[in-house]
Amino acid sequence: MQIVVDAMGGDHAPQEIVKGSVLAANEYNINIILVGDQVLIDQELKKIKDYPKEKISVIHAEEVITMDDLPSVAVRRKRKSSIHEGLKLVKKGEARAFFSAGNTGAVMACAKLILRPLEGVDRPAIGAVLPNAKGHSVILDIGANVDCKPLHYLQFAIMGSAYAKFVFEKENPTVGLLSIGEEDLKGNESTKNAFNMLKESPIINFIGNVEGKELYKGKSDVVVCDGFAGNIALKVSESAAWYIGKLLKEELTKNLFRKLGAFLLKPAFQALKKRADYTEYGGAPLLGVNGVCIIGHGSSNANAVKNGIRVAYELAEKKINLYIERNIQDSLKRLKVDKVESFWNNIKDKFKKITSD
């Protein structure tokens, strides 16, 4: 299996991208295609002693999409970029998955244009892995779709359940709807309508509303929301983690006794850091496109790149898209049947009323 990696994407490209790709090739026995400026990539490869030449290949791309490029500009004007060229390899079947730590909006826009959405998927969504008290959960959407219809929430739930099933090995993942209260009637019109659709769907294991305070308690394996709420939840979480770390550092270095205590607790702090380290999760999947696409954090280091490639490999190997497409189609068929039955039931009720009068 071959995985395509955008060697020019991210704050530390191509150095960390190349290092992480070599780590993945060695550790997971994966063949990797690095796409980008061949001269720069070759320079980085030469710095790595005894890298597996038989597992690493390079394809030159003339252009680079920067973090500052607008997605619309990236799609239209930079068609020879590493993102375009990499996704085209997946489209042509020359690779099974794509990883990039580059411009998120550009990767998403290019993936939707080149790979196209899966049949039955209206809007692909970006998912993020959150550590919690019970293990992990996936939240989606986290920014791809700001305004959503009830059907979109259902599709997010199906795609998130597939991710939890294949990556977290949850046999029947629970699904919660992010809202302002646990009660069924809490939320705005959008979430109330979504609640009813999720509740009626036999395709997912829906458990009801989930409040923000429940995200890290592990109440549900999958949390669905629109991209506006999801992005805010994710960014607030990142900010809170940074702030807590800052406070701990300040308090533990105030005097000699605290410094001594911090030294003794160093193994516990290192274990804690690893459990919450985003680099261990690799990246966020763009679910719903016709090909596996993983978007890494812009500041991804070699470890994050390695794990992003691992996740891309796992999803491609387990054929997650076939599972998603099958369940999406099944849900659409059931919705159509329900609508027809509802239509005829309304006609019958009206007819009975007329005849009884």
Side-chain angles (χ1 to χ4, degrees), residues 165-349:
K165 179 181 177 69
F166 289 126
V167 176
F168 304 149
E169 298 182 348
K170 301 280 187 178
E171 187 57 36
N172 189 25
T174 54
V175 177
L177 174 65
L178 186 63
S179 190
I180 60 172
E182 295 182 357
E183 297 82 3
D184 295 4
L185 298 177
K186 285 290 182 73
N188 54 26
E189 286 303 311
S190 178
T191 57
K192 287 177 185 177
N193 292 332
F195 183 97
N196 292 328
M197 180 166 283
L198 294 169
K199 184 178 180 180
E200 295 300 322
S201 175
I203 304 294
I204 59 170
N205 182 14
F206 183 58
I207 61 170
N209 286 336
V210 172
E211 293 186 74
K213 66 180 182 180
E214 304 287 349
L215 288 180
Y216 293 94
K217 293 180 181 179
K219 184 176 180 179
S220 65
D221 301 313
V222 180
V223 180
V224 294
C225 54
D226 61 37
F228 184 84
N231 193 268
I232 290 174
L234 185 67
K235 296 296 172 61
V236 169
S237 298
E238 291 176 350
S239 177
W242 171 85
Y243 182 60
I244 291 170
K246 182 176 182 296
L247 288 180
L248 277 172
K249 187 175 182 180
E250 289 177 358
E251 294 298 325
L252 291 172
T253 56
K254 277 189 172 181
N255 56 54
L256 183 61
F257 293 107
R258 290 190 181 185
K259 287 180 181 179
L260 177 60
F263 176 77
L264 295 174
L265 289 171
K266 189 175 180 180
F269 286 137
Q270 289 176 334
L272 176 64
K273 183 179 179 181
K274 186 172 182 178
R275 287 182 64 181
D277 187 3
Y278 79 90
T279 68
E280 294 296 321
Y281 309 114
L286 178 60
L287 298 168
V289 291
N290 194 14
V292 174
C293 180
I294 304 295
I295 305 173
H297 199 286
S299 61
S300 291
N301 58 19
N303 190 55
V305 174
K306 180 195 76 171
N307 284 306
I309 294 170
R310 171 185 56 79
V311 173
Y313 173 82
E314 289 177 356
L315 296 184
E317 181 72 14
K318 294 174 181 177
K319 300 179 180 178
I320 186 174
N321 283 337
L322 290 177
Y323 181 87
I324 289 174
E325 202 166 37
R326 184 169 64 247
N327 282 322
I328 292 285
Q329 292 298 318
D330 191 14
S331 68
L332 288 174
K333 287 178 184 177
R334 292 177 186 236
L335 283 172
K336 287 177 182 177
V337 170
D338 290 344
K339 286 181 179 179
V340 171
E341 288 180 349
S342 178
F343 172 78
W344 284 114
N345 286 334
N346 287 334
I347 295 294
K348 289 177 185 177
D349 291 340

Side-chain angles (χ1 to χ4, degrees), residues 36-49:
D37 187 316
Q38 185 155 9
V39 174
L40 294 178
I41 295 171
D42 286 342
Q43 287 176 354
E44 295 305 320
L45 286 171
K46 288 177 182 177
K47 295 177 184 177
I48 303 173
K49 187 179 180 181

Side-chain angles (χ1 to χ4, degrees), residues 78-114:
K78 292 190 174 182
R79 298 186 180 184
K80 294 183 180 180
S81 70
S82 52
I83 293 175
H84 277 81
E85 297 299 336
L87 288 168
K88 286 176 185 175
L89 292 173
V90 177
K91 174 72 173 179
K92 290 186 287 188
E94 295 178 22
R96 295 283 299 279
F98 175 78
F99 171 84
S100 175
N103 185 317
T104 299
V107 174
M108 183 181 67
C110 292
K112 289 165 72 175
L113 177 69
I114 296 170

